[in-house]
Amino acid sequence: MPEKEITISLPSPAKRFYRHGWQSWSLAAWQDIGEKIAIPKPTLLHPMQYDPAYIYEQRPHGSSLGAVEMENGKIILLGALGLDAHVFLDSDQLIGQYESGTGKWFTAEGSEEKVFEQYAAALKETEFFEKTRFLHATPPTIWCSWYSFYTHISEQNLNQALDDLGDLPFDVFQVDDGWQRAIGDWVPNEKFPGGLDSLSTQIRRTGRTPGIWLAPLIVVPDSDIYRQHPEWLLRDEKGNLVSAGFNWNEPLYTLDTTIPAVFEWLSALMRQVRAWGFDYVKLDFLYAGALPGVRKMPMKREQAYRLALETMRESLGDAYLLTCGAPVIPSLGLCDGIRIGPDVASHWDSPRDDLYLNNFAIPGTRNAIRTTVNRLWLKPLVHTDPDVAYFASERNSMTTEQEKMLQDLALVCNYKATSDIPAWLSELERKKLGDFLRTGEKSIEDIDFSVAMPIPEENLIQKILGAALGWAGSFPFVLRFFNWLGDKELKKKID
Ligand code: 9PG
């Protein structure tokens, strides 16, 4: 029976709460009851990392589902089988609420393994999977340009990397962010004089599948699409543009995907990508399509997102579709793979992000492992992408154990990718990478991820300094300064 709200009275106080972050990068973790999870900073990034509608919620809560661990170790799970749902723990009550409309609910009690398995099975039976077509049986092995070159890719350095990969068993060579003229203008920039079709032909010649990244639902003020189609942009009740965050030194905005012309534009873009020769497509920053706002056609905001994803999926035909920065539950059934955690990085963690900003969605390996491990229950429903693993010790501050944990997580997910530039690898590292790519799936039971799980807690001084840093971070020029620092470091690494 579809219901707006459901309440489960717990027989005794709960010990821990499972919070499920909204989109790929949002924190998913078990928190002790009484353990406060601070509001992440800076605020300018909220729409890009969390569900902004619930960012100031004080009670333990999560998107689509929530679960509690009881004194006796048993888990009680409450999960939605529809869109736009949220779960809260309010003293001894587990409350599920549809933000708009109504929908079905699922509840289960038992071991952690069993209740999540049963919830996944129930999701499989929903309309999420009704339109499932084309989906690939297993994930490919992927070389992705992001975590080494970042935006500094060019036709030349990619072709060099492609050559140098030699006989390493990568199925896909995926071009990430940096090829486009602007976010919103999905045409190749001056670093790709030969165009993308010639690049994809080069890739195919080496026997690999060409892959590409794009963020089709967001636009920046510096793009032609922003200037030419202000009427396509999502606005709030006051008529102001809805913020989709801040990245690439620019504010991000998003398209209203319920406008028919936007629909057509998205569909044509996907067909263009296929026509260029790309058969593996990573669609990123997809959360933007489900942000709160006033849409042309009123509907649940996650429904608006799903319609856009469905259109893009159809237009991509049988390409492999990886969604990223994507509302997790609302993407089910429409994509081959979902990134289920934040970005990794060549460092394990960062005091700035953990203790001053309390932000566990910022790129960092520990953040990525924590959230990914807490979402492995999604495996029966979709390919779960843990992000890339590292093999090159050069330009990398992780210990061998930390690198190994990330590699093992990739094997548990059976989703194997790296961004290591072949020239950075020693003979031994290259061999290890080759062995990794040939290794089959590992079981979660065989790996100990416990060091990555706790949520770091700040002391009073860090709290005060964090408040100051968080306040400063609400000014775009401060974020631009941090980006400038980061970019300077990066340039040193690559050039
Ligand atoms: C390209 C990248 C890569 C990467 C994606 C995404 O919250 N953040 O600060 C944040 C920054 C970058 C980011 C995600 C989140 O990276 O996950 O794989 O494609 O875009 O720009």
Side-chain angles (χ1 to χ4, degrees):
M1 263 278 289
E3 278 167 297
K4 172 112 188 134
E5 188 171 315
I6 182 171
T7 302
I8 300 176
S9 295
L10 304 176
S12 59
K15 262 176 32 192
R16 296 198 299 159
F17 180 81
Y18 174 83
R19 71 154 63 199
H20 182 253
W22 186 43
Q23 51 116 325
S24 307
W25 308 323
S26 325
L27 174 69
W30 280 98
Q31 75 182 99
D32 289 335
I33 302 302
E35 176 185 2
K36 271 251 175 295
I37 297 189
I39 293 156
K41 292 171 273 234
T43 45
L44 214 48
L45 299 186
H46 285 169
M48 187 173 109
Q49 299 180 323
Y50 303 89
D51 187 336
Y54 300 94
I55 194 83
Y56 296 111
E57 173 61 53
Q58 294 290 324
R59 296 170 289 178
H61 66 105
S63 295
S64 301
L65 67 141
V68 284
E69 186 188 347
M70 306 306 293
E71 283 298 338
N72 60 9
K74 273 217 177 121
I75 308 293
I76 299 176
L77 181 147
L78 171 60
L81 299 173
L83 299 168
D84 274 13
H86 215 80
V87 172
F88 309 84
L89 177 67
D90 199 330
S91 52
D92 288 353
Q93 290 190 323
L94 206 49
I95 302 171
Q97 253 165 18
Y98 277 95
E99 180 183 306
S100 59
T102 60
K104 288 194 185 138
W105 293 100
F106 168 89
T107 56
E109 184 175 341
S111 69
E112 180 176 346
E113 201 188 327
K114 272 273 161 312
V115 295
F116 280 93
E117 193 182 296
Q118 288 164 1
Y119 179 48
L123 283 169
K124 188 92 205 217
E125 296 306 312
T126 63
E127 58 193 12
F128 293 169
F129 286 87
E130 250 167 32
K131 297 218 174 140
T132 299
R133 290 168 61 201
F134 308 128
L135 297 191
H136 293 242
T138 47
T141 53
I142 303 140
W143 188 88
C144 153
S145 62
W146 182 247
Y147 302 87
S148 49
F149 287 122
Y150 291 94
T151 51
H152 300 259
I153 49 171
S154 66
E155 195 172 282
Q156 208 193 348
N157 62 21
L158 288 183
N159 271 314
Q160 184 68 50
L162 187 62
D163 270 356
D164 293 348
L165 285 178
D167 60 1
L168 283 167
F170 285 105
D171 301 318
V172 173
F173 184 92
Q174 185 239 310
V175 182
D176 213 282
D177 184 5
W179 62 268
Q180 72 283 356
R181 236 187 256 163
I183 299 296
D185 299 343
W186 302 103
V187 282
N189 59 34
E190 69 293 343
K191 294 185 294 167
F192 294 82
L196 288 190
D197 15 19
S198 87
L199 182 62
S200 84
T201 306
Q202 289 295 343
I203 299 170
R204 212 175 283 283
R205 243 182 233 150
T206 65
R208 307 190 201 275
T209 300
I212 195 158
W213 170 97
L214 59 168
L217 303 183
I218 53 169
V219 299
V220 295
D222 195 23
S223 64
D224 287 342
I225 185 172
Y226 178 95
R227 286 185 285 264
Q228 288 163 5
H229 291 291
E231 77 285 4
W232 285 6
L233 303 176
L234 184 66
R235 292 172 189 273
D236 62 17
E237 311 77 47
K238 293 190 201 124
N240 297 323
L241 292 180
V242 168
S243 166
F246 189 91
N247 204 22
W248 304 279
N249 280 330
E250 291 194 81
L252 311 182
Y253 300 108
T254 184
L255 302 171
D256 175 354
T257 60
T258 67
I259 297 174
V262 170
F263 238 74
E264 273 158 37
W265 181 86
L266 286 172
S267 170
L269 178 59
M270 296 303 126
R271 281 184 268 118
Q272 172 66 261
V273 163
R274 289 306 301 275
W276 280 331
F278 294 93
D279 293 342
Y280 176 99
V281 182
K282 173 178 175 186
L283 298 184
D284 206 354
F285 289 77
L286 293 181
Y287 64 87
L291 287 171
V294 181
R295 293 185 166 76
K296 178 150 180 93
M297 277 195 267
M299 62 178 80
K300 290 188 178 206
R301 56 189 170 107
E302 290 182 348
Q303 186 65 38
Y305 162 69
R306 243 182 114 77
L307 278 180
L309 187 59
E310 211 176 294
T311 305
M312 295 192 284
R313 159 91 270 173
E314 282 288 318
S315 309
L316 285 170
D318 60 1
Y320 188 99
L321 170 56
L322 172 69
T323 56
C324 187
V328 175
I329 304 297
S331 301
L332 293 173
L334 295 174
C335 54
D336 297 276
I338 308 181
R339 247 288 279 294
I340 55 164
D343 288 18
V344 296
S346 58
H347 60 263
W348 176 248
D349 59 5
S350 133
R352 182 198 68 183
D353 305 344
D354 286 353
L355 304 171
Y356 298 110
L357 299 178
N358 312 104
N359 193 328
F360 309 107
I362 291 183
T365 296
R366 188 172 182 226
N367 287 345
I369 294 179
R370 183 190 298 109
T371 288
T372 302
V373 167
N374 282 311
R375 279 209 251 255
L376 288 173
W377 61 270
L378 287 157
K379 273 184 76 182
L381 301 174
V382 65
H383 299 160
T384 50
D385 170 14
D387 209 0
V388 305
Y390 289 79
F391 291 84
S393 51
E394 211 186 304
R395 303 158 222 233
N396 179 344
S397 65
M398 283 192 277
T399 65
T400 319
E401 292 73 38
Q402 292 165 347
E403 276 179 20
K404 179 79 170 44
M405 199 179 292
L406 193 53
Q407 294 161 12
D408 279 338
L409 182 57
L411 295 173
V412 170
C413 289
N414 199 25
Y415 205 106
K416 293 170 281 187
T418 189
S419 284
D420 288 347
I421 295 175
W424 291 3
L425 295 162
S426 69
E427 211 36 56
L428 182 65
E429 287 163 352
R430 193 181 168 101
K431 183 179 172 314
K432 281 194 179 158
L433 171 56
D435 291 347
F436 164 81
L437 294 170
R438 286 182 207 95
T439 307
E441 194 168 337
K442 275 197 182 174
S443 158
I444 176 84
E445 273 89 61
D446 299 334
I447 325 258
D448 180 8
F449 293 109
S450 55
V451 296
M453 293 299 115
I455 299 168
E457 266 186 87
E458 77 281 33
N459 61 31
L460 186 64
I461 295 180
Q462 288 160 340
K463 216 177 232 164
I464 296 167
L465 288 174
L469 193 63
W471 172 78
S474 44
F475 297 102
F477 79 90
V478 175
L479 292 188
R480 285 196 183 104
F481 173 72
F482 274 106
N483 283 349
W484 175 78
L485 279 183
D487 213 48
K488 231 171 67 168
E489 274 305 296
L490 186 68
K491 279 212 179 100
K492 262 196 262 165
K493 277 186 181 183
I494 292 172
D495 301 335

